[in-house]
Amino acid sequence: MKELEIQRAAHLLEQEFGSNWRAIAEELGTEGLRKRVGKDLTSFMAFPNRGNGGDSHWRGNCSPEVVSAVLRYVLDTKKYYGKDTSTFTLLDPMSGSGTSQYAANKYQVRSLLYDLNPAPLCGRGNWNALKNEVDDSADLIFFHPPYHNIIKYSGTMWGSPHPDDLSRCESYEDFLEKLNYCVRKFFFALRKDGRLAILVGDIRTKGKFYSIQHDMMRMGNFESFLVKGQFNCVSDSQTYRKPFIPIVTEYLLVYHKPDALMVPFSWKRNDQFSVTCVDLESLTWHHLIRMTLEYMGGQAFLSELYDFLKGHPKSQKNCHYQERIRATLYEHPSEYVPVSRGCFRLIYAVA
Ligand SMILES: C[S@@+](CC[C@H](N)C(=O)[O-])C[C@H]1O[C@@H](n2cnc3c(N)ncnc32)[C@H](O)[C@@H]1O
């Protein structure tokens, strides 16, 4: 058994480092090796040195190490459960510079690459995720879409502006709708026991933060959420006057398709409500009054509060709502200061 394991380790080292693996292994030592080879895919990845494969000059390209790591994991998992991998297929339906092909070649698996670009560096061009059929099926679909309009592909990286280019959507909502369509389409193209691995980053555009990974729909069993450090971004070299939290990570979301027909999914719903119209158990009189005072500029007379809150569902249920409002103001002296007869100010409001 031990002998077999050693053989397997040697095989993995050879795959990872090539024929010079013995010398490299000696230099790295066991701790370094543990972090670099085998099943050491963890929920955090960082590849400051991008590595070879694909084109590092193609804007928005990803490190081949990302595809390799997830491919290796899926292959290892299949082998662990005694599944056949002879027909294993990796599909990258938005393949850009062709990074996935390098990973597939490294692990000697069949790869299929598609892109809307009519003349991609490798794979099938002129393939439109919003219109064309996925002719093939796959065990792993590595899906790396544009991050909305952060990098425009058609018209800048290739050809002329294309209406179905995901980097040229009218709005973030339009982008999400098309992205979710792709998620469904690619999930249906998975074989049973397959995985959909989606690499996406959050974005800030015109000062607004959008979390693509948070907003997009989920399909299949959510198997892992990997955080990946971002390196060599154009934004790294820019300086900004307004304070904000820079985005330095992106995410690899891995979904498993456990069943041929049953599809687990979840969909995020965005909405908003006004606290003036709802009565929630978690919304106390205190914070309802506090927020109302904020709305009124930080200070108000009792009569103004009574008037403003008389139609609130809480008041509708309480015929003594005026007494309740008055009592609440006195019960929280750390938040409300009486400024004159029947007039209250929030402690943190600018006088
Ligand atoms: C982030 S890049 C992929 C980069 C790639 N992983 C690499 O390492 O080079 C996204 C790709 O999606 C392609 N794309 C955009 N809209 C598409 C569509 N509707 N159908 C197919 N590909 C599309 C773009 O042409 C671009 O090459």
Side-chain angles (χ1 to χ4, degrees):
M1 181 64 187
K2 200 152 180 241
E3 185 62 28
L4 266 178
E5 273 168 11
I6 290 170
Q7 267 178 24
R8 183 173 134 70
H11 177 65
L12 280 172
L13 287 168
E14 192 167 7
Q15 271 191 333
E16 194 75 21
F17 299 119
S19 57
N20 202 23
W21 68 271
R22 275 179 205 281
I24 295 169
E26 267 166 31
E27 200 172 322
L28 284 172
T30 46
E31 176 62 9
L33 282 176
R34 196 185 62 72
K35 293 200 180 113
R36 286 169 173 82
V37 296
K39 287 186 193 166
D40 255 1
L41 176 65
T42 67
S43 59
F44 180 72
M45 349 165 108
F47 303 108
N49 302 318
R50 181 185 176 278
N52 298 321
D55 181 353
S56 59
H57 302 298
W58 178 266
R59 288 201 63 204
N61 75 90
C62 69
S63 163
E65 299 300 334
V66 176
V67 194
S68 294
V70 67
L71 172 58
R72 187 168 59 212
Y73 165 73
V74 178
L75 280 171
D76 279 354
T77 309
K78 284 208 172 281
K79 285 176 194 159
Y80 178 85
Y81 287 106
K83 306 251 170 78
D84 174 48
T85 55
S86 61
T87 58
F88 190 98
T89 300
L90 164 68
L91 170 67
D92 184 338
M94 294 201 183
S95 54
S97 67
T99 307
S100 292
Q101 193 175 63
Y102 167 86
N105 291 349
K106 183 170 163 189
Y107 290 99
Q108 292 165 11
V109 299
R110 175 175 177 243
S111 65
L112 299 159
L113 280 75
Y114 307 161
D115 202 283
L116 187 61
N117 178 359
L121 293 173
C122 48
R124 173 174 165 189
N126 230 346
W127 186 84
N128 183 346
L130 302 182
K131 304 265 161 69
N132 295 128
E133 167 78 289
V134 179
D135 290 325
D136 308 278
S137 62
D139 299 284
L140 170 62
I141 298 183
F142 180 78
F143 175 32
H144 184 199
Y147 301 169
H148 184 25
N149 53 9
I150 296 300
I151 298 172
K152 291 208 168 57
Y153 286 94
S154 60
T156 53
M157 305 289 291
W158 54 261
S160 47
H162 193 295
D164 290 337
D165 176 359
L166 258 64
S167 68
R168 288 196 173 269
C169 296
E170 274 169 27
S171 60
Y172 180 68
E173 288 66 34
D174 181 36
F175 166 75
L176 261 192
E177 202 176 301
K178 289 172 177 162
L179 183 73
N180 286 342
Y181 172 83
C182 292
V183 169
R184 296 192 291 276
K185 186 173 217 172
F186 300 153
F187 192 82
F188 292 135
L190 279 179
R191 298 173 185 170
K192 187 181 167 203
D193 194 38
R195 263 109 182 150
L196 176 61
I198 311 177
L199 181 64
V200 277
D202 292 338
I203 58 168
R204 185 173 281 101
T205 172
K206 293 191 183 133
K208 202 167 169 220
F209 175 73
Y210 298 90
S211 179
I212 300 177
Q213 62 78 19
H214 180 254
D215 295 338
M216 64 194 276
M217 71 173 300
R218 313 218 182 276
M219 264 189 127
N221 283 349
F222 201 178
E223 186 168 355
S224 196
F225 178 84
L226 289 80
V227 178
K228 175 188 167 290
Q230 272 186 322
F231 300 92
N232 306 318
C233 300
V234 172
S235 54
D236 291 352
S237 54
Q238 287 169 353
T239 45
Y240 302 90
R241 263 185 296 157
K242 207 169 149 191
F244 71 98
I245 302 174
I247 298 165
V248 296
T249 50
E250 53 199 330
Y251 313 96
L252 185 69
L253 303 118
V254 183
Y255 302 103
H256 181 217
K257 185 180 188 185
D259 193 90
L261 300 177
M262 291 305 292
V263 182
F265 77 97
S266 69
W267 204 308
K268 192 174 155 277
R269 190 174 148 226
N270 269 333
D271 214 336
Q272 62 173 356
F273 63 87
S274 164
V275 291
T276 56
C277 309
V278 295
D279 187 14
L280 305 169
E281 213 184 314
S282 50
L283 176 66
T284 59
W285 271 107
H286 167 36
H287 292 290
L288 174 63
I289 293 168
R290 191 186 55 72
M291 290 186 273
T292 305
L293 277 172
E294 280 180 351
Y295 175 76
M296 292 175 153
Q299 180 171 316
F301 282 97
L302 278 172
S303 54
E304 291 172 316
L305 283 172
Y306 298 157
D307 202 37
F308 190 86
L309 292 172
K310 67 171 184 267
H312 193 277
K314 276 191 193 298
S315 305
Q316 299 290 307
K317 281 189 235 158
N318 183 350
C319 58
H320 302 296
Y321 74 93
Q322 296 190 350
E323 287 81 350
R324 185 64 258 154
I325 292 172
R326 207 164 50 242
T328 306
L329 289 161
Y330 285 112
E331 279 161 13
H332 296 86
S334 62
E335 290 284 287
Y336 310 111
V337 212
V339 282
S340 61
R341 199 176 153 77
C343 183
F344 288 81
R345 180 167 61 79
L346 282 170
I347 200 120
Y348 56 88
V350 181

